[in-house]
Amino acid sequence: QVQLVESGGGLVQTGGSLRLSCAAIGWNLKIYALGWFRQSPGGNRNREFVAGINVSGWTTYAGPTEGRFTISKDDVTNTAYLQMDDLKPEDTGVYYCNIIITDNWPSVRPSGNWGQGTQVTVSS
């Protein structure tokens, strides 16, 4: 059974760092690309794209995160990571990983089957 399990979230002050992990259980990251998405607090329940990494290790980022966030992966353990530096209050939200569709790279879209996510809260 395939499953995506996020971890590593928490409460951090503005300017701080966090490293999120995504265990891609049952997935092979040598074959499937993976991305991170964020659901911000408030009425908008859409999950917005944050960062993506394809099977070759190429990366793509949303504008506000480029230069501050770094996505990476370990093809041996099938784990992906999101290193988040210089965090800002607007980065607050629930972060999800997902297998992504890359036929229009660097634009990507999620394939579905969301996990539980991990909460990131950045205080001002």
Side-chain angles (χ1 to χ4, degrees):
Q1 182 177 354
V2 295
Q3 193 177 5
L4 297 166
V5 181
E6 303 91 345
S7 62
L11 173 64
V12 64
Q13 291 184 334
T14 295
S17 298
L18 283 173
R19 189 191 194 207
L20 307 184
S21 298
C22 170
I25 301 167
W27 295 100
N28 184 344
L29 296 185
K30 296 179 183 177
I31 300 173
Y32 294 96
L34 189 139
W36 285 94
F37 298 80
R38 177 178 65 229
Q39 187 174 55
S40 298
N44 185 358
R45 305 303 290 172
N46 292 332
R47 294 181 179 94
E48 58 183 349
F49 171 73
V50 174
I53 187 165
N54 71 6
V55 297
S56 300
W58 296 359
T59 58
T60 181
Y61 297 91
T65 65
E66 193 154 20
R68 299 188 297 122
F69 291 7
T70 304
I71 187 171
S72 61
K73 63 171 180 162
D74 184 331
D75 288 344
V76 175
T77 62
N78 289 309
T79 303
Y81 303 95
L82 185 68
Q83 176 68 41
M84 306 188 294
D85 298 318
D86 190 24
L87 281 161
K88 306 176 186 298
E90 52 265 40
D91 296 321
T92 293
V94 180
Y95 283 72
Y96 301 86
C97 58
N98 206 278
I99 300 300
I100 54 175
I101 299 168
T102 61
D103 54 357
N104 195 30
W105 185 269
S107 295
V108 303
R109 59 191 188 275
S111 64
N113 298 317
W114 299 98
Q116 295 300 306
T118 186
Q119 175 71 47
V120 171
T121 303
V122 184
S123 63
S124 57

